[in-house]
Amino acid sequence: MKRLFRWKVPESLASRVFLIYAVSILVFGLTGFGLLMAKRFSVLIADSLQNVQKMVDLSMPTLSSSAVIGDFDTIQRTLAAMVPNSPLNEAIYKDKHGGSIQTLEPSELHAPEWLFKVVSSRLPEVQYLVSAGGRDYGQLTLRFDAFQIANQQWRLTLSMTAFVLLGLGIGLTIMRYMLRRWLGNFDRLQAYETEVLAGVVNAEAGLSEGAPLEIRQAVAVINRTAGSLRAQFGQRIDVLMDTLIQHKKAMDEATIVCELDTEGRLTYANDSFVAAIGLPRTTLLGRRLQDIGSFDFTTVDDWQPSPQVWHGEVQIHHAHGHSYWHQRSIVPIFDTASQLEKFICIDIDVSAQKQSESDLLDQVHQQNLLAEFGRQALTDQDVSGLVDKIVEAARTSLHASHSALIVRNPDRTLPYLLAGTGWGTKWLGQDMSLVQKNTISGRTHTTLRLLPAMLAENHLNDAQVDSVDSVDSVDSANYRLTLVVASRDRRLFSDADHNFLQNMVNILTVAMERNRSRENLVRLAQFDSLTGLPNRSLLLDRLQLALKAAHRQGTRVGLIYLDLDRFKQVNDTLGHPAGDLLLVQAARRMTACLRAGDTVARLAGDEFAIILPGLEHTSDAELVGRKILAQLAEPFDLNGQEAYVTGSIGAAIYPENGFDPDALVRSADRAMYCAKEAGRNDFQFYSDDMNADETQRLAFDMLLRGALARDEFFILYQPKVDLLDGQICGFEALLRWRHPERGVVSPTEFIPLLEETGMIVVVGEWVLNRVAEQIIRWQADGLRVPRISINLSPRQFSAPDLDAQVRDMLANTGVDPTLLEFEITESSLMLNPARTTSLLERFRSYGLSLSIDDFGTGYSSLSYLKRFPLDTLKIDRTFIRDLSPDSDDAAITWAIISLAHSLKLKVVAEGVETTEQLDMLRDRACDEMQGFYFSVPQSAFDCALMMRDERRLYWETPLNAPSEGHWRTRLNADKTDEADPLTVATERQGPVDAASKAGLASNQAA
């Protein structure tokens, strides 16, 4: 930084003052200029916004009146008048029908791009609603002409910059002239210097008239200082000579010094030199320096007398056998005639320094070894090779004779010698000993030690051994490393040696732990962590090998695909820990049913696959599959909770059902799904018919996806009857599909597919609008329309835009919301109770009625049920179907009715088909009924006839019991037995087509 300062700053005072002045003027000028431009820019932006706002205020009445009467010519002219000579370059008017009128005034950019971007960010487009009488007719969008505004600002900036630069140049010129005039007085100091050099003792620097005060004071100080220096100079010379004499005496005492003549013979030696050589001074004098003692020169050339200064390092061997390192300097001394007079030899003992350098080199070498071994520990796969390298490096780096690595792991009870150098080969693999040590904290610490016999054989004892243990880890009780070095020389290992060993054993620990982790990762990549079974990747590898072997040997390979039935119920009811335990037990049972060469793998979740190589007969695979099914049928003990599951198995055989692993897996998977569709807990082989069924299902799916566009969906309505007065109190809208080839398809076939593909959201929105439109048509025909129920599927109810769909339906159709009721399944309500409560409250605020459908078949919390804003509760038909006085279904049904009434909810029983069911529900105060007993689902036309004819139930009073009565249809007024719903439908409505009869049993499912 100092060098940069010296290089950048001028040397002359005038230039420095001028530089400071110029920088100051430039900084303040640029700051003021920037603030002025920023202020001017803000004013320009504000003026542009204000001008546009004024134009909008003046033009908006004209635009509003023109938009009301549709006078687009006036709007066009108004927009054309707004853009020219204004900050705008484009004005767009869009009406609510999508039409637009645009006026554009192009311009060019002459300013920099960055200025244009700044202007654009400060002036975004503005939008105004064109409205009249509280109604919006369109939207006015105005875009600013950023090019024009940027050009104005840039022209102003350029003109101001020119003025600023002109003023700055004039000021700097004046300042430079004045500085040169004022500081010219310092040039007179050169004349003063000339006089001093010429020997003028009383020389003084002169000044010109008019010199500034500061310069006059500075010159006066120079004159006074020069006089003082002349007075002190003589005294300093005397003191310096005395100091030189004293320094020479001190050097003789503190350093090793000798004097040599011009031929290199010793003429003088101080006491330190004599002590370093170990010979008497009389013996040394007169001898050549090269012949004194034993020298090992480290320089390239040995010293020879010459006029040059010589520097080098020598190793001196003392007369008593010791060795020392000296740093030697030999300086030639010249007389006044520049002739060589003598040599002075100065030695400095650097033995300690050389030892430190040697230790440092050893440490560097050790650090390099640690770095290299650390890298190998993180990259190399050969751990055993790294172990041998580290053990050998520990011995050689510490100049030891023996080294060893002792290991304790869970595979062996006692520690053993894993690797070593300097020992006999018989000790490798031998058990070592465990020694207990007390640490400073008082805890017991276990270390691994060499056997005493091992030390004795190599003439070693504990004092010659240094060892380090691996750092304690989580598994330190079962795994430990100890690195040992030993030396036959009686030496003490230093702390640095111990730390080096500790680092080496740490590297070994990391390498071995990494090797174990790599083995675990390989296992995790190929085996399931829960069950320990092979995963899909390893299964496919083994299946590929099995297929190659079968191809060579001409045998078969069986692949079994198994899925646990109702496993999700175990997870949902008992929790995931219980489900995991069940998977582990199931894996053990499957493994017990197989041969040693078979493979069972867990693919995902509750899916397993089994490879059966070397099959002689196809039936062998079925025998194994049936055996596994029998094992799975036994109860599972899940921490004291008994659980039952079954399995669905599909099997594929090589080469009949495929030649590669993927084909066999697909075939076995398809066969497994067929086993599930056949009722679960079954075994099925793959056949070509299954593939045909899948192709047919795919074609069915493709037709269903286009059904809405082809207008193949239609709606039927099934009436609901009030059990207080027998009149129709509502209808339930039911979706139907008229297949182009099969005719009317049962909803149990296509509704789940709509739900699975997500099409139910779009189709559900279509149903909402179609039902609302039908209500409007019925009302236009003068009919008194009761409440119409619409089913919301789980997928549709969880859709994020459901609320928007309902609001759009109410706004677009104008239907009375009190005539609509949403039926939502119990499971859908409980998916997200917080969202459900908020959504239902919004529906209630619109005037809609809400009903919980299929109550009793799912899982719901009574606390949430009380919080939901519901109106009606529908009892699922599964409880009504087998309703009898003493049945469990009757007890559940009565409990549901009582619960609903306590929550102030109406109760609707669906699926009523017999008079017995109707009478029992009426006696238990059920509010409404729905079912085939009264009517099958009808078309909108037939429902209109029913409302016009006031179709209803009739009260029948028996002759023998005038106080009792029952609701009956006219058709059953004289009958007491159960009514066949198909017959009732036929007698009331005439012939029923075959497709409708086939779908009656599932008509309620939609």
Side-chain angles (χ1 to χ4, degrees):
M1 187 66 185
K2 291 183 177 179
R3 292 180 179 178
L4 179 63
F5 180 80
R6 292 173 181 173
W7 180 72
K8 293 292 184 180
V9 177
E11 294 184 359
S12 67
L13 176 61
S15 298
R16 292 188 180 187
V17 173
F18 180 76
L19 177 62
I20 294 174
Y21 174 77
V23 171
S24 302
I25 292 297
L26 183 61
V27 169
F28 288 110
L30 290 178
T31 302
F33 180 73
L35 294 175
L36 177 61
M37 289 297 99
K39 179 62 176 178
R40 181 64 186 87
F41 180 70
S42 300
V43 171
L44 182 60
I45 296 297
D47 290 345
S48 299
L49 292 173
Q50 185 176 6
N51 292 337
V52 169
Q53 184 61 44
K54 289 179 180 180
M55 283 193 297
V56 171
D57 294 340
L58 293 175
S59 303
M60 188 57 68
T62 303
L63 292 175
S64 300
S65 59
S66 300
V68 172
I69 63 176
D71 187 359
F72 297 106
D73 291 337
T74 302
I75 295 176
Q76 176 69 44
R77 291 193 298 271
T78 303
L79 297 182
M82 293 176 64
V83 174
N85 301 321
S86 69
L88 304 175
N89 77 322
E90 186 177 8
I92 302 172
Y93 170 76
K94 291 184 179 180
D95 60 17
K96 61 181 180 179
H97 301 293
S100 64
I101 299 174
Q102 179 181 11
T103 298
L104 177 65
E105 185 74 16
S107 60
E108 297 182 357
L109 179 65
H110 302 291
E113 184 70 20
W114 62 266
L115 182 58
F116 165 70
K117 293 181 179 179
V118 172
V119 173
S120 300
S121 64
R122 294 286 299 273
L123 293 174
E125 67 177 26
V126 293
Q127 296 177 347
Y128 300 91
L129 289 176
V130 179
S131 60
R135 181 177 179 183
D136 297 336
Y137 289 90
Q139 178 177 283
L140 176 62
T141 301
L142 300 178
R143 293 191 175 95
F144 287 90
D145 190 350
F147 283 2
Q148 175 188 347
I149 297 174
N151 292 337
Q152 294 178 8
Q153 181 66 25
W154 183 243
R155 287 194 297 269
L156 178 62
T157 302
L158 292 179
S159 61
M160 292 299 295
T161 302
F163 283 115
V164 171
L165 293 178
L166 178 60
L168 180 62
I170 294 173
L172 292 178
T173 302
I174 296 174
M175 182 62 184
R176 185 172 182 83
Y177 170 76
M178 296 303 297
L179 284 175
R180 285 186 175 180
R181 182 177 178 184
W182 291 336
L183 299 179
N185 291 278
F186 284 113
D187 295 337
R188 298 178 179 273
L189 293 178
Q190 295 179 354
Y192 172 68
E193 178 186 9
T194 303
E195 293 179 0
V196 172
L197 294 177
V200 179
V201 179
N202 299 321
E204 290 186 356
L207 292 174
S208 63
E209 297 181 0
L213 176 62
E214 291 80 359
I215 295 177
R216 294 199 304 270
Q217 293 176 347
V219 172
V221 170
I222 292 174
N223 291 331
R224 290 194 300 271
T225 303
S228 177
L229 289 176
R230 285 192 295 267
Q232 298 177 11
F233 185 72
Q235 300 175 4
R236 293 289 183 179
I237 293 177
D238 296 338
V239 173
L240 180 59
M241 293 301 297
D242 294 339
T243 302
L244 288 176
I245 295 173
Q246 295 176 12
H247 283 176
K248 181 179 182 302
K249 293 180 180 179
M251 188 176 65
D252 287 341
E253 296 295 331
T255 59
I256 303 172
V257 179
C258 68
E259 292 184 3
L260 309 173
D261 60 14
T262 57
E263 296 181 357
R265 292 184 176 86
L266 194 70
T267 60
Y268 167 78
N270 66 356
D271 294 341
S272 299
F273 187 89
V274 173
I277 301 301
L279 294 175
R281 181 179 281 104
T282 57
T283 305
L284 296 175
L285 294 177
R287 298 181 59 180
R288 299 174 67 248
L289 181 64
Q290 298 92 322
D291 300 332
I292 298 175
S294 178
F295 300 99
D296 291 333
F297 290 89
T298 61
T299 55
V300 177
D301 297 323
D302 294 345
W303 176 78
Q304 296 296 333
S306 69
Q308 286 78 32
V309 178
W310 185 91
H311 298 285
E313 289 183 353
V314 294
Q315 187 176 18
I316 298 177
H317 301 287
H318 194 273
H320 296 163
H322 306 299
S323 296
Y324 302 97
W325 278 97
H326 286 185
Q327 184 176 358
R328 173 166 292 177
S329 297
I330 302 178
V331 182
I333 304 299
F334 299 94
D335 57 16
T336 57
S338 299
Q339 297 296 319
L340 183 62
E341 180 180 355
K342 60 181 177 180
F343 295 95
I344 296 179
C345 177
I346 302 174
D347 286 359
I348 300 176
D349 191 349
V350 292
S351 301
Q353 179 181 347
K354 296 294 288 186
Q355 182 62 42
S356 299
E357 292 177 356
S358 176
D359 294 342
L360 180 60
L361 290 176
D362 290 341
Q363 291 179 11
V364 171
H365 176 67
Q366 293 174 4
Q367 293 299 323
N368 291 336
L369 287 176
L370 292 175
E372 177 61 21
F373 290 147
R375 184 192 63 79
Q376 295 181 23
L378 297 176
T379 58
D380 292 359
Q381 307 294 329
D382 184 14
V383 178
S384 60
L386 181 62
V387 168
D388 295 337
K389 293 178 182 178
I390 287 181
V391 172
E392 175 63 20
R395 183 184 68 83
T396 56
S397 298
L398 299 183
H399 310 290
S401 58
H402 299 76
S403 62
L405 179 67
I406 308 173
V407 179
R408 183 177 71 182
N409 59 36
D411 298 334
R412 297 179 61 162
T413 305
L414 291 174
Y416 64 96
L417 185 66
L418 178 63
T421 57
W423 319 98
T425 56
K426 68 177 181 178
W427 296 106
L428 291 177
Q430 291 292 320
D431 291 339
M432 298 291 109
S433 58
L434 291 171
V435 178
Q436 303 293 330
K437 289 184 176 181
N438 291 327
T439 62
I440 298 176
S441 60
R443 295 181 299 173
T444 300
H445 172 68
T446 302
T447 186
L448 314 180
R449 296 296 299 273
L450 298 171
L451 294 175
M454 189 175 177
L455 297 175
E457 180 182 282
N458 290 272
H459 308 289
L460 298 170
N461 55 52
D462 289 339
Q464 297 169 295
V465 176
D466 190 20
S467 65
V468 293
D469 298 328
S470 58
V471 179
D472 289 345
S473 58
V474 176
D475 59 346
S476 60
N478 299 319
Y479 183 82
R480 179 179 289 277
L481 299 178
T482 297
L483 184 60
V484 181
V485 292
S487 177
R488 288 197 180 98
D489 298 333
R490 293 189 175 276
R491 55 166 291 188
L492 295 177
F493 291 99
S494 64
D495 292 340
D497 297 337
H498 193 79
N499 292 335
F500 173 69
L501 287 180
Q502 185 66 64
N503 291 329
M504 295 284 266
V505 80
N506 291 342
I507 291 174
L508 274 177
T509 303
V510 171
M512 292 186 171
E513 289 181 352
R514 180 176 174 271
N515 187 56
R516 292 199 304 273
S517 300
R518 183 172 60 252
E519 293 175 352
N520 291 335
L521 288 176
V522 171
R523 179 170 181 81
L524 290 175
Q526 296 183 340
F527 290 87
D528 176 51
S529 59
L530 176 63
T531 62
L533 297 177
N535 58 14
R536 179 183 292 272
S537 175
L538 185 56
L539 172 86
L540 294 177
D541 290 343
R542 292 186 178 180
L543 182 57
Q544 184 68 47
L545 296 176
L547 295 181
K548 291 181 179 179
H551 178 71
R552 293 193 302 268
Q553 301 168 5
T555 58
R556 290 183 173 87
V557 176
L559 179 65
I560 290 178
Y561 206 104
L562 182 146
D563 184 86
L564 297 179
D565 302 325
R566 293 181 293 274
F567 174 73
K568 185 176 183 300
Q569 296 180 1
V570 175
N571 268 341
D572 294 341
T573 56
L574 302 181
H576 288 278
D580 293 344
L581 182 58
L582 188 147
L583 291 174
V584 173
Q585 295 182 13
R588 292 173 182 170
R589 295 185 186 184
M590 285 184 275
T591 304
C593 298
L594 304 178
R595 301 168 297 176
D598 299 336
T599 297
V600 56
R602 183 188 178 203
L603 303 184
D606 57 351
E607 294 182 357
F608 297 84
I610 301 171
I611 303 175
L612 303 175
L615 291 182
E616 294 293 337
H617 305 286
T618 303
S619 58
D620 294 341
E622 184 173 4
L623 292 176
V624 175
R626 298 291 180 188
K627 184 178 180 181
I628 292 175
L629 290 179
Q631 288 294 319
L632 294 178
E634 297 295 326
F636 289 85
D637 182 10
L638 306 180
N639 296 326
Q641 180 72 39
E642 197 172 73
Y644 292 86
V645 296
T646 56
S648 297
I649 294 180
I653 304 297
Y654 167 85
E656 287 86 346
N657 304 133
F659 296 96
D660 59 83
D662 291 338
L664 283 179
V665 170
R666 286 195 304 269
S667 300
D669 186 25
R670 181 59 192 150
M672 182 271 292
Y673 276 107
C674 290
K676 277 190 174 295
E677 294 170 358
R680 296 186 173 91
N681 195 25
D682 192 15
F683 178 97
Q684 289 202 17
F685 280 108
Y686 174 79
S687 66
D688 294 336
D689 294 339
M690 296 178 181
N691 190 35
D693 293 340
E694 183 67 17
T695 303
Q696 183 178 3
R697 182 179 180 277
L698 181 61
F700 183 83
D701 177 45
M702 296 301 295
L703 285 174
L704 181 60
R705 291 180 180 273
L708 186 61
R710 295 189 298 269
D711 198 22
E712 294 173 358
F713 289 120
F714 63 97
I715 300 175
L716 297 179
Y717 301 86
Q718 187 174 31
K720 293 187 284 189
V721 179
D722 192 331
L723 294 183
L724 289 179
D725 57 15
Q727 295 181 354
I728 295 176
C729 59
F731 292 93
E732 180 179 3
L734 303 172
L735 179 66
R736 295 293 182 265
W737 177 31
R738 187 176 289 103
H739 192 279
E741 298 174 0
R742 296 171 50 188
V744 179
V745 181
S746 171
T748 56
E749 292 188 55
F750 73 88
I751 292 293
L753 192 55
L754 287 176
E755 185 78 14
E756 178 183 345
T757 59
M759 293 173 55
I760 192 67
V761 177
V762 179
V763 176
E765 184 179 8
W766 176 85
V767 171
L768 288 176
N769 289 279
R770 186 57 61 91
V771 171
E773 293 168 357
Q774 185 60 56
I775 293 174
I776 299 298
R777 284 194 290 270
W778 279 335
Q779 289 178 331
D781 292 339
L783 298 175
R784 184 180 64 83
V785 182
R787 183 179 293 114
I788 309 299
S789 300
I790 301 174
N791 290 283
L792 298 180
S793 73
R795 189 76 171 265
Q796 183 182 11
F797 185 72
S798 61
D801 57 345
L802 175 61
D803 182 52
Q805 291 180 5
V806 173
R807 286 189 279 106
D808 291 344
M809 177 268 295
L810 295 175
N812 295 334
T813 62
V815 68
D816 184 0
T818 60
L819 298 180
L820 290 175
E821 181 179 58
F822 287 161
E823 292 189 5
I824 308 160
T825 61
E826 183 180 6
S827 57
S828 299
L829 291 173
M830 297 308 300
L831 287 177
N832 188 343
R835 176 184 178 274
T836 297
T837 302
S838 175
L839 187 60
L840 294 183
E841 288 176 349
R842 288 200 295 272
F843 288 164
R844 173 63 66 83
S845 67
Y846 303 155
L848 302 170
S849 298
L850 303 171
S851 173
I852 180 171
D853 196 13
D854 299 337
F855 186 78
T857 60
Y859 171 78
S860 61
S861 170
L862 295 181
S863 62
Y864 279 113
L865 189 63
K866 181 177 64 174
R867 290 167 51 187
F868 293 150
L870 301 172
D871 302 290
T872 307
L873 184 149
K874 291 188 73 172
I875 304 175
D876 188 70
R877 64 175 44 81
T878 56
F879 299 110
I880 305 300
R881 181 175 56 234
D882 300 325
L883 196 62
S884 61
D886 298 327
S887 66
D888 294 337
D889 289 337
I892 296 174
T893 302
W894 312 149
I896 293 175
I897 293 174
S898 177
L899 172 65
H901 286 164
S902 66
L903 296 176
K904 297 181 176 56
L905 300 177
K906 289 193 303 182
V907 181
V908 179
E910 57 179 342
V912 178
E913 300 179 358
T914 66
T915 57
E916 180 182 8
Q917 295 169 351
L918 179 62
D919 294 341
M920 294 176 65
L921 290 169
R922 185 262 175 187
D923 292 341
R924 290 289 181 169
C926 181
D927 300 298
E928 299 175 6
M929 62 81 64
Q930 176 184 346
F932 293 161
Y933 177 79
F934 184 77
S935 174
V936 295
Q938 303 287 341
S939 66
F941 177 78
D942 292 332
C943 290
L945 294 179
M946 295 174 70
M947 288 185 284
R948 184 172 289 109
D949 297 341
E950 297 184 354
R951 174 75 179 280
R952 56 172 296 170
L953 290 174
Y954 294 90
W955 185 256
E956 175 189 318
T957 302
L959 297 176
N960 55 355
S963 60
E964 299 181 2
H966 305 280
W967 287 113
R968 296 291 184 269
T969 63
R970 283 187 182 275
L971 193 62
N972 293 288
D974 298 326
K975 299 179 182 180
T976 58
D977 56 345
E978 294 182 355
D980 180 3
L982 293 179
T983 304
V984 172
T986 303
E987 292 177 356
R988 287 200 301 266
Q989 306 299 333
V992 179
D993 59 75
S996 297
K997 285 187 176 182
L1000 285 177
S1002 58
N1003 272 332
Q1004 303 283 337

